[in-house]
């Protein structure tokens, strides 16, 4: 005896029960416990912990899409009308993780929480997103300054290390001291000093005039002894602080050489000359910038080529794509109301359908023929229910049809005559079915 049908396993049961429990917990929360803005910042905090937020504070949508899709059994999201499309700019996952005014169904919030391995209780106590390094202020770590370790730096510049991919924060103080550290480093530890600043330099000069060793100065300034020695060597602290003037003959020789280069390449742009002759360019840029810019060819104006859209070709492409999708939707087991919005979102062309429909006559005519009003969709849904009931029952009752379709009585009375004809004759004319 084959008992497979009796013990058939529901692949979605375990995860569906878990989501249902979270939905119940969500309903127990006071209605104002979590606002949309607060929930959004909590999501960003959880995504940042999973390295799904970039240094520029954007969500890694591709990685997030793959992660969410892989955290559910195949077909689960489609079963709950939450299928994800990576190329759809309006899919519910992108709307949830962006600063958007659009609303998303609570069930889809629970799907995202499942991926983030959170329940309602843990989400409530999750702190809101404070950024990779917090909101500040941040401490100045210049030991030469009077405000050492005081929280006076207001902003942080976040970048990503090219090799390790770690987030790096750069902190700039008003005293000129600039330092950087990793996200995981203690706030009072310096990863690398980018600029010591004028306060640190002045303190170095003052200490060097006393009878103090290099190591003692290094300890006082919080720097390595080699660094102190380097900055005490000339010509860093010459009285006039001016560059040593270059010999006239050497500068003139570079100028003569560069004039020959420009004459040799009359069609080359400034950028091309700079890339090919880097040594000569940088030398002249450092010692006589004004002469260099006067000698270079005039800046070239860039003209962006305006691409003209072939609306006839696009009209045919859109109409063919819509026909294919329409046939799939019409043949689906569960009826779906066919609207311009649905077709546009599924195909990723909604913006063009809303703005440029007048330039797409074939597509416009097709949409007028196949899109449904609410009443038309109700009729189609009821007809499909009647067909299914006829396979099970000899006598189909309209009250049963109304209950299965979930249509309000006042709306059902409007379409009832059409359904009676359908039951009696086994079919109705398309124009009568869609008589609005």
């Amino acid at each position: 005896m084959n008992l497979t049908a009796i013990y058939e396993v529901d692949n979605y049961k375990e995860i569906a029960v878990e989501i249902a429990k979270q939905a119940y917990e969500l309903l127990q929360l006071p209605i104002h416990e979590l606002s949309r803005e607060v929930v959004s910042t909590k999501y960003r905090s959880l995504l940042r912990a999973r390295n799904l937020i970039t240094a520029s504070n954007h969500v890694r949508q591709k990685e997030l899409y793959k992660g969410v899709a892989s955290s559910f059994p195949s077909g689960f999201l489609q079963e709950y009308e939450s299928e994800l499309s990576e190329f759809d700019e309006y899919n519910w996952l992108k709307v949830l993780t962006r600063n958007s005014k659009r609303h998303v169904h609570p069930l889809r919030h629970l799907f995202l929480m499942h991926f983030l391995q959170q329940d309602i209780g843990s989400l409530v106590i999750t702190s809101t997103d404070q950024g990779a390094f917090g909101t500040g202020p941040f401490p100045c770590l210049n030991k030469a300054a009077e405000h050492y370790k005081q929280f006076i730096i207001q902003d942080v510049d976040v970048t990503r290390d090219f090799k390790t991919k770690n987030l790096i924060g750069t902190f700039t103080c008003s005293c000129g001291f600039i330092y950087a550290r990793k996200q995981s480093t203690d706030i009072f530890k310096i990863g690398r000093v980018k600029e010591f600043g004028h306060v640190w330099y002045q303190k170095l000069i003052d200490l060097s005039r006393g009878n103090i060793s290099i190591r003692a100065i290094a300890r006082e300034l919080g720097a390595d002894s080699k660094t102190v020695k380097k900055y005490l060597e000339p010509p860093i602290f010459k009285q006039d602080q001016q560059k040593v003037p270059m010999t006239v003959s050497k500068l003139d020789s570079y100028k003569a050489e560069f004039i020959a280069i420009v004459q040799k390449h009359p069609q080359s742009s400034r950028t091309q000359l700079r890339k090919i002759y880097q040594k000569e360019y940088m030398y002249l840029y450092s010692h006589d910038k004004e002469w260099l810019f006067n000698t270079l060819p005039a800046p070239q104006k860039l003209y962006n080529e305006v691409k003209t859209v072939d609306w006839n070709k696009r009209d045919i492409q859109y109409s063919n794509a819509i026909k294919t999708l329409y046939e799939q939707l019409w043949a689906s087991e569960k009826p779906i109301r066919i609207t311009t919005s649905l077709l546009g979102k599924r195909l990723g062309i909604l913006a063009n359908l809303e703005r440029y429909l007048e330039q797409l006559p074939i597509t416009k005519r097709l949409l007028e023929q196949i899109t449904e009003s609410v009443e038309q969709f109700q009729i189609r849904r009821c007809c499909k229910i009647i067909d299914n009931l006829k396979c099970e029952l000899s006598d189909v009752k309209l009250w049963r049809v109304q209950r299965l379709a979930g249509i309000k009585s006042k709306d059902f009375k409007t379409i009832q005559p059409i359904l009676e004809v359908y039951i009696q004759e086994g079919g109705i004319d398309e124009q009568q079915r869609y008589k609005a």
Side-chain angles (χ1 to χ4, degrees):
M1 182 181 294
N2 186 4
L3 301 178
T4 305
I6 298 177
Y7 296 104
E8 185 176 355
V9 178
D10 184 356
N11 295 328
Y12 304 153
K13 182 177 180 181
E14 182 177 349
I15 190 169
V17 170
E18 179 186 341
I19 296 294
K21 289 180 179 178
Q22 294 307 312
Y24 177 79
E25 293 295 329
L26 180 61
L27 291 172
Q28 307 310 306
L29 284 180
I31 192 169
H32 299 298
E33 179 77 19
L34 294 173
S35 67
R36 183 175 58 185
E37 292 75 15
V38 171
V39 170
S40 178
T41 58
K42 288 177 181 286
Y43 285 157
R44 293 188 73 85
S45 177
L46 295 168
L47 291 172
R48 193 181 298 280
R50 286 162 176 76
N51 197 28
L52 290 172
I53 303 291
T54 66
S56 55
N57 215 31
H58 293 121
V59 178
R60 302 181 191 276
Q61 292 291 349
K62 287 187 178 180
E63 290 84 345
L64 177 60
Y65 165 80
K66 293 177 182 178
V68 172
S70 63
S71 64
F72 293 94
S74 177
F76 180 85
L77 293 176
Q78 292 90 326
E79 181 73 16
Y80 291 92
E81 300 183 5
S82 298
E83 183 179 5
L84 289 171
S85 173
E86 184 179 357
F87 306 103
D88 182 7
E89 288 300 312
Y90 295 95
N91 76 55
W92 60 267
L93 187 58
K94 290 184 179 180
V95 173
L96 259 181
T97 54
R98 288 175 174 168
N99 186 16
S100 174
K101 295 182 180 179
R102 292 173 176 263
H103 289 279
V104 178
H105 194 282
L107 181 61
R108 291 171 174 171
H109 280 267
L110 297 178
F111 290 158
L112 178 59
M113 288 172 57
H114 173 77
F115 162 71
L116 296 172
Q117 299 179 346
Q118 299 290 314
D119 55 27
I120 298 299
S122 62
L123 182 68
V124 171
I125 62 176
T126 297
S127 59
T128 55
D129 184 36
Q130 303 295 324
F133 292 85
T135 56
F138 307 97
C140 174
L141 301 182
N142 182 6
K143 293 191 73 173
E146 294 181 357
H147 52 254
Y148 175 58
K149 285 191 175 183
Q150 293 184 19
F151 290 81
I152 63 171
I153 301 176
Q154 300 300 321
D155 300 311
V156 56
D157 181 26
V158 181
T159 55
R160 185 173 294 278
D161 185 83
F162 179 74
K163 293 182 179 179
T164 65
K165 305 301 181 183
N166 292 323
L167 291 180
I168 305 296
T170 301
F171 305 85
T172 304
C173 184
S174 58
C175 66
F177 190 79
I178 304 175
Y179 70 94
R181 64 173 175 85
K182 295 179 182 179
Q183 180 185 7
S184 56
T185 306
D186 184 86
I187 61 172
F188 291 109
K189 287 187 178 180
I190 298 174
R192 182 170 72 91
V193 175
K194 291 188 174 183
E195 182 66 49
F196 287 101
H198 60 278
V199 173
W200 190 92
Y201 293 144
Q202 187 60 49
K203 187 69 174 291
L204 175 61
I205 295 173
D206 295 341
L207 292 173
S208 66
R209 289 170 179 167
N211 188 20
I212 306 176
S213 66
I214 295 293
R215 288 188 178 182
I217 295 175
R219 285 194 299 269
E220 181 72 18
L221 297 178
D224 187 81
S225 57
K226 291 182 180 180
T227 302
V228 172
K229 187 176 181 181
K230 169 189 171 183
Y231 282 100
L232 284 176
E233 289 178 351
I236 298 299
F237 287 112
K238 291 181 66 176
Q239 292 298 322
D240 53 3
Q241 293 290 311
Q242 296 295 323
K243 291 183 179 179
V244 177
M246 307 306 298
T247 59
V248 176
S249 58
K250 187 174 182 180
L251 183 59
D252 286 346
S253 65
Y254 267 96
K255 288 182 179 180
E257 186 178 349
F258 198 76
I259 290 174
I261 290 171
V262 174
Q263 293 174 348
K264 183 180 177 181
H265 303 280
Q267 303 300 324
S268 298
S269 66
R270 292 186 170 200
T271 303
Q272 291 170 335
L273 291 173
R274 185 179 74 237
K275 288 182 178 179
I276 299 172
Y277 302 97
Q278 291 185 12
K279 178 183 176 182
E280 295 83 353
Y281 186 97
M282 294 310 299
Y283 184 93
L284 292 169
Y285 183 88
S286 300
H287 300 101
D288 200 339
K289 185 193 299 185
E290 184 178 354
W291 180 91
L292 173 64
F293 285 175
N294 290 333
T295 307
L296 285 168
Q300 297 179 359
K301 293 184 178 180
L302 299 177
Y303 296 95
N304 294 326
E305 182 182 354
V306 179
K307 295 182 179 180
T308 305
V309 177
D310 187 346
W311 288 106
N312 292 330
K313 181 179 179 181
R314 181 169 289 186
D315 193 11
I316 295 172
Q317 291 175 345
Y318 282 4
S319 60
N320 291 336
I322 290 173
K323 285 179 183 177
T324 303
L325 179 57
Y326 167 74
E327 292 172 359
Q328 295 173 0
L329 294 173
W330 189 270
S332 62
E333 184 177 351
K334 185 177 180 179
I336 302 173
R337 184 187 168 200
I338 299 171
T339 63
T340 300
S341 177
L342 174 70
L343 296 170
K345 287 181 179 179
R346 291 281 181 97
L347 296 173
I349 60 173
L350 180 60
N352 282 347
L353 293 181
E354 291 177 342
R355 298 176 187 174
Y356 307 111
L357 191 58
E358 294 301 324
Q359 301 190 51
L360 305 166
I362 301 175
T363 303
K364 181 181 179 181
R365 189 161 53 251
L366 177 62
L367 290 174
E368 290 173 349
Q369 294 172 357
I370 66 175
T371 52
E372 301 174 301
S373 66
V374 174
E375 183 177 320
Q376 291 169 348
F377 174 61
Q378 289 174 344
I379 294 172
R380 180 162 69 90
R381 190 163 81 245
C382 289
C383 289
K384 191 171 185 66
I385 292 173
I386 291 171
D387 292 340
N388 293 335
L389 289 176
K390 281 186 175 182
C391 297
E392 303 173 2
L393 305 171
S394 58
D395 186 19
V396 177
K397 300 295 184 182
L398 285 178
W399 63 266
R400 189 187 299 274
V401 174
Q402 179 186 356
R403 187 178 66 180
L404 293 174
I407 301 175
K408 295 181 180 179
S409 297
K410 63 176 182 178
D411 298 326
F412 193 76
K413 288 180 181 179
T414 306
I415 64 175
Q416 184 172 342
I418 299 175
L419 299 179
E420 290 174 348
V421 173
Y422 185 81
I423 293 173
Q424 294 173 4
E425 300 181 3
I428 57 176
D429 181 71
E430 289 295 319
Q431 292 183 353
Q432 186 180 6
R433 175 183 293 185
Y434 294 130
K435 185 180 180 181

